[in-house]
Amino acid sequence: EIVMTQSPATLSVSPGERATLSCTASQSISSDLAWYQQKPGQTPRLLIYGASTRATGIPARFSGSGSGTEFTLTIISLQSEDFAVYYCQHYKNWPPMYTFGQGTKLEIK
Amino acid sequence: QVQLQESGTGLVKPSQTLSLTCTVSGGSLISGGHYWGWIRQHPGKGLEWVGYIYYSGGTYYNPSLKSRVTISLDTSKNQFSLNLSSVTAADTAVYYCARSNVWGNYRVFDYWGQGTLVTVSS
């Protein structure tokens, strides 16, 4: 079973600054990683897929990187609407399994 | 624009069966390549995949829930449903239905329902 571990659990950053969120897989998953944003009371929104490709309509200040076991989501010039919880997710083809990280809460410093 | 909407009982007694339905609009359940899934989120916690079904009716479930989960399809109503049997308080969560699609070569959830809170309590 692949385990996805996110760090830190909570990240405090000032508006306008850069945030760096990490996701580590317990074994190599190549680039099969997605990132989602979830605001309070809202559904998760797809941000990044294939570790580094922005989904449709996602601002360029969001970027993803990494492969294998170590992945990073970077948000530059943080806007007020970016403060939310971020999840990484991996899909294993066989046997089929979606695995989410436990989330990183990005809060205003 | 694809839209998903969950419906079902919000309060279930322990040992009974949780039943939810997801109605899909703006798209067909039998479109190839899409999987239709359920994800749950325990209060204040992260996301947990429950299972999915695809257009032919094939299903896959999270191994941790497999013995209690059934997902089914009603193509005439463009709906899919979740049954979770023998529930306990640990099954209290917000349940989301979502569409899984392939973006590039990667399978992700691109459309989500608003979620519905199911509480297990006597």
Side-chain angles (χ1 to χ4, degrees):
Chain A
E1 177 189 347
I2 296 175
V3 177
M4 309 300 295
T5 303
Q6 292 185 241
S7 62
T10 303
L11 182 62
S12 299
V13 183
S14 301
E17 298 294 306
R18 170 196 298 253
T20 303
L21 290 69
S22 296
C23 178
T24 300
S26 59
Q27 58 186 270
S28 179
I29 59 170
S30 186
S31 297
D32 201 334
L33 186 94
W35 289 95
Y36 297 82
Q37 176 194 65
Q38 186 179 31
K39 298 179 183 179
Q42 296 188 20
T43 63
R45 176 175 71 145
L46 176 66
L47 297 176
I48 301 283
Y49 63 94
S52 61
T53 304
R54 280 188 301 277
T56 305
I58 301 304
R61 65 179 182 273
F62 291 88
S63 64
S65 62
S67 66
T69 62
E70 300 292 333
F71 301 88
T72 300
L73 174 69
T74 301
I75 315 168
I76 62 172
S77 302
L78 276 166
Q79 308 293 305
S80 57
E81 63 265 29
D82 299 335
F83 292 95
V85 179
Y86 292 84
Y87 295 96
C88 60
Q89 173 249 311
H90 167 65
Y91 175 72
K92 184 158 68 79
N93 278 314
W94 191 259
M97 180 75 184
Y98 296 86
T99 305
F100 292 91
Q102 79 277 24
T104 290
K105 181 180 181 181
L106 179 59
E107 64 177 25
I108 300 175
K109 186 174 183 180
Chain B
Q1 175 83 352
V2 175
Q3 293 184 311
L4 297 91
Q5 179 66 57
E6 305 89 352
S7 59
T9 307
L11 180 63
V12 183
K13 289 181 167 53
S15 80
Q16 294 189 343
T17 297
L18 177 161
S19 296
L20 296 174
T21 295
C22 183
T23 301
V24 179
S25 58
S28 173
L29 280 180
I30 60 174
S31 298
H34 298 149
Y35 297 168
W36 303 93
W38 292 94
I39 299 109
R40 70 181 185 177
Q41 187 168 34
H42 295 100
K45 301 296 184 183
L47 301 164
E48 179 184 32
W49 173 65
V50 175
Y52 70 67
I53 189 167
Y54 53 91
Y55 69 94
S56 67
T59 54
Y60 289 100
Y61 304 130
N62 188 320
S64 68
L65 300 169
K66 185 176 181 179
S67 63
R68 299 192 292 128
V69 175
T70 303
I71 297 176
S72 59
L73 207 58
D74 186 340
T75 55
S76 67
K77 295 180 180 179
N78 223 36
Q79 294 175 335
F80 61 105
S81 297
L82 168 69
N83 279 353
L84 181 65
S85 64
S86 305
V87 298
T88 70
D91 296 308
T92 294
V94 173
Y95 286 76
Y96 296 98
C97 58
R99 186 183 82 169
S100 174
N101 196 10
V102 175
W103 287 54
N105 292 319
Y106 307 100
R107 186 161 285 282
V108 298
F109 292 107
D110 58 357
Y111 289 97
W112 297 65
Q114 285 303 302
T116 187
L117 174 63
V118 178
T119 301
V120 179
S121 174
S122 56

